[in-house]
Amino acid sequence: MSERAGLTRLTNNGSGDGPCGEKDCPNVYRTEAGKFVVQGDLVLLFTPPEGEGLVEIPEETLREAFRALGW
């Protein structure tokens, strides 16, 4: 099973227009349960709770995800 099974990619769908061009970052995904998974650069601003992490994404990536959802 793919590690991305059950995820719908909302951003940077191969158009080359995203912040990383043709590369695979940063991105926003939606899970089958309606939650979101964000892929971006690791940020070490503070220590998050056990099992959590911090990532940074450009504003445009978040805007693209909103557009994909029709928001």
Side-chain angles (χ1 to χ4, degrees), residues 42-63:
L42 184 62
V43 178
L44 303 172
L45 298 174
F46 62 89
T47 302
E50 178 88 22
E52 295 184 7
L54 304 172
V55 298
E56 181 177 65
I57 61 171
E59 180 180 327
E60 180 54 35
T61 301
L62 195 54
R63 289 179 182 273

